[in-house]
Amino acid sequence: MRLFYRVDEYIQGGFFDEKSLYAVVLSIGLLVTGILPVSAHEHGTSLSADMNMKASAYMQQQVKSDMKLTLNGKPLQLDESYLIDSSLFVPYRAFAEGIGSEVSYDAATQTVTVKKDTKTVKLTIGSSEADVDGSLISMVGPAQLINSSTFVHSRFLAEVFGIKVLYDESTRTVNLISGGTSGSGQEVAKTYYVNMEGFAFKEGEITVEAGSSVIFTNKDKVKHNAVADDGSFKTNLLATGNSESVTFTKPGEYTYYCEPHKEFMKGKITVK
């Protein structure tokens, strides 16, 4: 009752005429019942569209590959492989077992474990970091599910176990060269890691054995490379998360620098 009394009072007092007051009330009703739901609907539609666009873009990056793989000249049989951002991803179990590794999978943590000789590598689905004997190493891309199977970056998994990766573009063949052959008594080449992070080569000065490979990985948001002072090696400019391997066959000291940041970004590798 008091509400109608106040409305009537406002009309009589000359604050609003009757039509103006009804217009105000109607506007408030439209605001509450109409605008808010529309706004929420538009927000939800926009968010859904944005997520769909991102998912679509991600799926487009996966291209089925026709590349062939060999290990020491013999075909390595895989059911399928994919190119993701120009990097070859392969089914982890078939690839790992093909290069002589033992594999296991923890469904609870979605973690793949690959063991070969004395080295253990753990890869978690969705993560671009690999646990190599307790140290975290960046990869080009994460282990990921494709058609319900776990796929991993082939070059990383090969090089982490000291296997050279050579690509023959004319035959579209990835040739894997093992550091030693079974029963030869030859020591398997070792692999070391140097991370480019915080505008520095984090490992600083390292000592490796002749025949070993060093994998340079960029963790910064800007591009870096590694260039030997004596001109013996030079990596490409590496974008964030990218890696490149350099093999050292001759003993000696190799000082190097990052070309874009040569004044302060330096390192040294001693080969015995």
Side-chain angles (χ1 to χ4, degrees):
M1 292 294 294
R2 183 58 180 168
L3 173 63
F4 287 101
Y5 175 77
R6 293 296 300 175
V7 169
D8 183 60
E9 188 177 67
Y10 285 146
I11 294 174
Q12 292 179 2
F15 292 99
F16 300 104
D17 60 28
E18 188 172 355
K19 290 183 180 180
S20 297
L21 186 60
Y22 287 157
V24 171
V25 173
L26 179 61
S27 297
I28 293 173
L30 290 174
L31 176 65
V32 173
T33 61
I35 294 177
L36 291 179
V38 169
S39 177
H41 173 71
E42 288 176 348
H43 178 72
T45 301
S46 176
L47 179 60
S48 176
D50 183 59
M51 292 176 67
N52 288 336
M53 287 177 63
K54 288 181 179 179
S56 176
Y58 176 76
M59 292 301 294
Q60 289 174 356
Q61 294 175 358
Q62 300 176 357
V63 179
K64 197 163 186 178
S65 172
D66 62 351
M67 291 181 182
K68 300 181 288 290
L69 288 91
T70 68
L71 177 62
N72 294 328
K74 297 181 180 180
L76 188 63
Q77 299 297 332
L78 302 175
D79 290 336
E80 58 183 353
S81 59
Y82 286 85
L83 286 173
I84 302 177
D85 289 342
S86 301
S87 296
L88 184 64
F89 279 68
V90 294
Y92 90 95
R93 183 175 292 276
F95 185 82
E97 290 179 343
I99 62 175
S101 304
E102 297 178 3
V103 299
S104 62
Y105 178 69
D106 184 344
T109 60
Q110 291 192 309
T111 300
V112 170
T113 300
V114 183
K115 295 182 179 180
K116 181 174 170 60
D117 301 321
T118 60
K119 183 164 290 185
T120 300
V121 178
K122 294 183 179 181
L123 309 169
T124 301
I125 293 175
S127 174
S128 292
E129 287 192 324
D131 182 326
V132 181
D133 291 334
S135 298
L136 293 180
I137 306 298
S138 294
M139 300 183 292
V140 168
Q144 53 197 275
L145 287 175
I146 302 176
N147 298 330
S148 300
S149 297
T150 303
F151 281 69
V152 298
H153 185 217
S154 58
R155 178 179 287 275
F156 176 84
L157 199 57
E159 291 182 337
V160 78
F161 291 113
I163 297 174
K164 281 189 178 182
V165 180
L166 303 175
Y167 177 58
D168 185 342
E169 188 172 1
S170 63
T171 61
R172 292 185 61 77
T173 301
V174 177
N175 298 297
L176 307 176
I177 311 299
S178 177
T181 57
S182 178
S184 68
Q186 181 180 355
E187 184 179 354
V188 176
K190 294 183 179 180
T191 304
Y192 295 84
Y193 302 89
V194 173
N195 291 320
M196 304 160 170
E197 187 175 4
F199 290 88
F201 296 104
K202 295 295 288 186
E203 285 64 30
E205 300 183 4
I206 62 172
T207 300
V208 305
E209 299 79 13
S212 297
S213 295
V214 175
I215 298 177
F216 294 91
T217 300
N218 182 19
K219 292 190 174 184
D220 277 342
K221 298 298 184 183
V222 299
K223 291 183 177 181
H224 295 304
N225 67 352
V227 182
D229 286 307
D230 64 2
S232 59
F233 69 85
K234 178 179 180 179
T235 71
N236 293 309
L237 277 172
L238 303 175
T240 304
N242 286 359
S243 302
E244 188 167 330
S245 174
V246 176
T247 300
F248 295 86
T249 58
K250 296 181 180 179
E253 289 189 353
Y254 298 84
T255 56
Y256 62 94
Y257 59 91
C258 170
E259 203 165 20
H261 313 103
K262 62 177 68 176
E263 298 300 323
F264 54 87
M265 194 168 171
K266 301 178 181 181
K268 183 171 79 171
I269 297 173
T270 301
V271 181
K272 293 185 175 180

